[in-house]
Amino acid sequence: MMADDFWLTRIRDNRVRGLLAELAEAISECDDPDLLHLLKGSLKLGLANQAALREDELRHEHHQRKLSAMSRRSRRLG
């Protein structure tokens, strides 16, 4: 991993980090500015939105489980 790849070290999942490292390598070897421009937009809009939607979904599920557990506890106590 190169010194300027600090953003990769934040990712603890080996599968995701490997994919990002491979993508970073492909980008650094690309010599087509039009392709890089399209890729930039796809990464910003596509993958960022997909990650944000999945994060929201998981946080909502966690919140729902927490509420459900609290509801069961209050029924037992009530």
Side-chain angles (χ1 to χ4, degrees), residues 20-56:
L20 290 173
E22 189 172 337
L23 182 58
E25 182 181 334
I27 290 169
S28 67
E29 294 173 0
C30 182
D31 59 358
D32 182 348
D34 293 331
L35 175 60
L36 292 170
H37 180 76
L38 289 173
L39 179 61
K40 180 178 68 172
S42 293
L43 291 174
K44 280 183 187 177
L45 297 174
L47 292 177
N49 284 341
Q50 185 176 359
L53 289 171
R54 181 66 177 143
E55 176 192 8
D56 289 347

Side-chain angles (χ1 to χ4, degrees), residues 1-69:
M1 199 173 311
M2 295 174 52
D4 62 343
D5 290 342
F6 68 92
W7 54 275
L8 282 175
T9 61
R10 297 173 33 164
I11 307 298
R12 300 286 185 230
D13 184 292
N14 286 335
R15 181 176 169 205
V16 173
R17 186 168 43 191
L19 288 169
L20 290 173
E22 189 172 337
L23 182 58
E25 182 181 334
I27 290 169
S28 67
E29 294 173 0
C30 182
D31 59 358
D32 182 348
D34 293 331
L35 175 60
L36 292 170
H37 180 76
L38 289 173
L39 179 61
K40 180 178 68 172
S42 293
L43 291 174
K44 280 183 187 177
L45 297 174
L47 292 177
N49 284 341
Q50 185 176 359
L53 289 171
R54 181 66 177 143
E55 176 192 8
D56 289 347
E57 179 182 286
L58 292 172
R59 290 188 189 281
H60 178 73
E61 288 173 8
H62 176 74
H63 183 69
Q64 289 300 103
R65 283 194 303 271
K66 195 173 180 180
L67 288 177
S68 178

